[in-house]
Amino acid sequence: MFQSNKEKTAFVTPHRLYYYKFMSFELKNACATYQKLMTKIFKPLIDQTMEVYIDEIVVKSGTRDEHAQYLEETFHLMRAYNMMLNPAKCVFGVNAGKFLGFMVTQRGIKVNSVQMRVILETPTSDKEQRLNYYVSKAMVDVETRYSRMEQAIIALKNAAQKLLESPGEKWWTLYVDKASKAFGSRVEYEAILAGLNLALTLATTKLEIRSDSHLIVRQIQKDYEANDERMARYLTMVEDHLKMLNKWTVKRIPRMENLKADALVEIIVTLPIREAVIWSFGGSYLICLSNPEAKYVLVELHEGESDNHLGERTLAHRAHTQGYYWLTMKQDAKNYVKRCDRCQRYALIPRVPFEALNPVTSPWSFAQWEMDIVSPLPIVVVQKKFLFVATNYFRKWVEAEAHVSIKDKDVSKFVWKNIMCRFEVPQAIVANNGP
């Protein structure tokens, strides 16, 4: 560890202050720093004769002679960087070994038998044989703030995706029912879209949709038209999802045959659920808020403990990253920032020009000139109606001369006589290519 960085790792004890002389893996960035160092040391050999992950090193070879040569190259690099090894953790000349929890052999990578011991030693009865799977789900980001029930749902969904075998040519059935009469067919379409998303996630190729809504079924079968603009958008989204399936069918069933879906609806209605959870297949789960809850979230993020008064776009993005969502999120954030008195009084007004500016600098006097032609001038006796003007960037010195016409030789003569002969050869002459 660098001498200047040792004091940054100091910690207090009852006796005195201490600091680390060597990098400790308990530091937050120790693993990343150590991996960067190992990659730098063994860069010529990585992916060629060895593999490195933090403090795990494997030297690979096809024959014993090559193995000895590759080990010599590895030890040479270690000696150059004063790196030491622990002999108790080193094994040489083996045909198989453990690396990152797996067994690496000549035939490939195999599962570590020690880790599989729990599964192999699971007791089973004589009459049946069961295959056990073990899966886990680590909560990340906003998922750590979910309730226990929501985390259990996430874990079950993750387990279902990992354990469920490929559907193949098997027909799957989707039962649909709405849990709210206030929104009518809109909720029914939302349920169908959620089921289609789940079916496509599980690689389903054949799907049968069963619903007790005569209107929804007829619209999907194109017997009825969706006159409402919102329902038309829902119908278009359902058709786009159905195109991803090889075969599909939609069927209307009587309410008495939809008892399972109805029972789930009754359970959901009776539960004291005050918030809806959006199931996002591409990222984390978001909590859908009502208007009062959304207003409270905006107030806390804008004027809460941080009191940083975010802009409209940043405020909406911050609410989304905190795990919240509602339909009018961006518009509500924009209106709230506009109504904020402190933001209107003390906010920084951007005065950035619409186009990028090109700064012009001159390193020394008479090094850079700007040249232009002024015309037409009032005609005098000598008929000189054109004016050559050259302005120095640094001193603002002006050279001007009137001419009868504009020709190459006149311009060259003016530059030679008024600029080069008086102020030496300039570094640059800028013109606007005008007449």
Side-chain angles (χ1 to χ4, degrees):
M1 186 181 298
F2 286 108
Q3 186 66 31
S4 59
N5 293 334
K6 292 181 180 180
E7 297 180 356
K8 299 178 182 178
T9 63
F11 55 93
V12 182
T13 65
H15 304 286
R16 62 183 67 182
L17 290 174
Y18 291 92
Y19 60 81
Y20 289 98
K21 297 177 61 177
F22 300 96
M23 178 71 74
S24 172
F25 278 96
E26 297 178 358
L27 299 178
K28 186 174 182 180
N29 63 336
C31 294
T33 305
Y34 193 84
Q35 178 64 44
K36 184 178 180 180
L37 174 63
M38 296 292 283
T39 305
K40 178 181 179 181
I41 294 175
F42 299 105
K43 183 178 180 180
L45 304 180
I46 292 178
D47 294 334
Q48 303 295 329
T49 61
M50 66 182 305
E51 302 294 338
V52 178
Y53 181 75
I54 305 181
D55 58 345
E56 299 281 347
I57 301 176
V58 171
V59 180
K60 52 188 179 181
S61 59
T63 62
R64 288 186 175 274
D65 296 337
E66 292 180 353
H67 192 63
Q69 179 184 353
Y70 297 159
L71 286 177
E72 184 178 356
E73 296 174 354
T74 304
F75 292 153
H76 177 72
L77 291 176
M78 291 181 179
R79 191 177 298 109
Y81 286 90
N82 197 22
M83 180 177 291
M84 300 181 182
L85 299 177
N86 186 358
K89 296 182 179 180
C90 298
V91 180
F92 302 97
V94 294
N95 295 328
K98 185 171 68 174
F99 183 67
L100 301 180
F102 294 91
M103 295 302 298
V104 181
T105 64
Q106 295 179 350
R107 298 182 179 180
I109 301 176
K110 297 182 179 180
V111 180
N112 192 352
S113 59
V114 178
Q115 298 179 351
M116 294 293 295
R117 185 179 303 169
V118 178
I119 300 176
L120 298 175
E121 295 180 357
T122 302
T124 57
S125 60
D126 298 335
K127 296 182 180 180
E128 60 178 353
Q129 296 290 332
R130 296 182 180 180
L131 183 60
N132 299 326
Y133 293 92
Y134 295 87
V135 295
S136 61
K137 175 67 173 75
M139 301 299 166
V140 295
D141 298 333
V142 298
E143 296 175 351
T144 57
R145 297 190 294 272
Y146 291 165
S147 62
R148 299 295 298 176
M149 178 179 292
E150 294 169 352
Q151 292 181 353
I153 294 174
I154 297 174
L156 290 175
K157 175 253 181 183
N158 183 74
Q161 288 182 333
K162 289 185 177 181
L163 301 181
L164 191 60
E165 297 180 357
S166 177
E169 299 298 326
K170 180 181 177 181
W171 276 89
W172 287 69
T173 305
L174 174 63
Y175 291 90
V176 182
D177 198 4
K178 58 180 179 292
S180 174
K181 297 181 180 180
F183 297 96
S185 302
R186 174 184 171 184
V187 179
E188 194 96 9
Y189 270 119
E190 290 283 358
I192 294 176
L193 289 173
L196 288 173
N197 285 330
L198 180 59
L200 294 174
T201 302
L202 299 176
T204 304
T205 57
K206 298 180 179 180
L207 181 66
E208 179 182 0
I209 303 175
R210 296 184 181 183
S211 174
D212 54 14
S213 175
H214 180 75
L215 177 62
I216 299 298
V217 173
R218 291 300 184 183
Q219 287 180 351
I220 297 177
Q221 293 176 347
K222 298 185 178 181
D223 295 335
Y224 293 168
E225 294 183 358
N227 296 326
D228 185 34
E229 182 180 356
R230 178 175 295 179
M231 293 299 104
R233 291 200 299 265
Y234 274 116
L235 181 59
T236 303
M237 294 173 62
V238 171
E239 292 175 350
D240 294 339
H241 283 70
L242 292 175
K243 292 179 182 178
M244 302 180 187
L245 301 173
N246 295 339
K247 294 182 179 180
W248 61 272
T249 179
V250 58
K251 183 178 180 182
R252 182 183 179 274
I253 59 175
R255 185 171 294 276
M256 295 301 297
E257 297 183 10
N258 205 21
L259 296 178
K260 293 183 178 180
D262 288 340
L264 291 175
V265 169
E266 295 298 331
I267 294 174
I268 294 173
V269 172
T270 56
L271 288 176
I273 299 178
R274 299 182 180 272
E275 57 189 21
V277 179
I278 298 179
W279 197 344
S280 175
F281 290 94
S284 303
Y285 295 80
L286 305 176
I287 299 177
C288 188
L289 303 180
S290 60
N291 289 334
E293 294 172 337
K295 184 177 180 180
Y296 174 76
V297 170
L298 291 178
V299 172
E300 288 296 324
L301 293 177
H302 194 70
E303 305 178 15
E305 294 182 0
S306 57
D307 194 22
N308 50 5
H309 288 265
L310 304 173
E312 55 187 59
R313 296 179 60 184
T314 308
L315 181 60
H317 179 71
R318 180 67 59 83
H320 186 272
T321 56
Q322 293 298 319
Y324 302 109
Y325 177 80
W326 62 95
L327 294 177
T328 58
M329 175 185 292
K330 294 183 179 180
Q331 186 63 33
D332 292 348
K334 181 178 180 180
N335 296 336
Y336 185 83
V337 173
K338 285 184 177 180
R339 292 194 301 266
C340 180
D341 181 70
R342 292 180 60 184
C343 288
Q344 302 304 319
R345 288 175 180 268
Y346 307 110
L348 297 177
I349 301 176
R351 295 183 174 86
V352 180
F354 294 100
E355 297 182 356
L357 299 180
N358 297 322
V360 179
T361 59
S362 180
W364 58 83
S365 300
F366 308 110
Q368 187 168 340
W369 293 77
E370 182 178 4
M371 188 171 176
D372 201 356
I373 300 175
V374 181
S375 66
L377 297 176
I379 301 177
V380 294
V381 179
V382 293
Q383 302 294 323
K384 294 183 178 181
K385 58 181 179 179
F386 298 100
L387 183 66
F388 293 167
V389 181
T391 306
N392 177 253
Y393 276 93
F394 193 85
R395 292 291 185 88
K396 309 303 179 185
W397 183 272
V398 178
E399 290 288 337
E401 190 174 88
H403 286 264
V404 177
S405 61
I406 303 175
K407 296 181 180 180
D408 295 344
K409 62 178 183 178
D410 297 330
V411 177
S412 301
K413 183 179 179 180
F414 172 78
V415 173
W416 173 260
K417 176 183 175 181
N418 296 75
I419 298 178
M420 292 187 180
C421 293
R422 298 187 61 185
F423 306 103
E424 72 182 8
V425 179
Q427 185 181 18
I429 297 178
V430 182
N432 61 356
N433 296 328

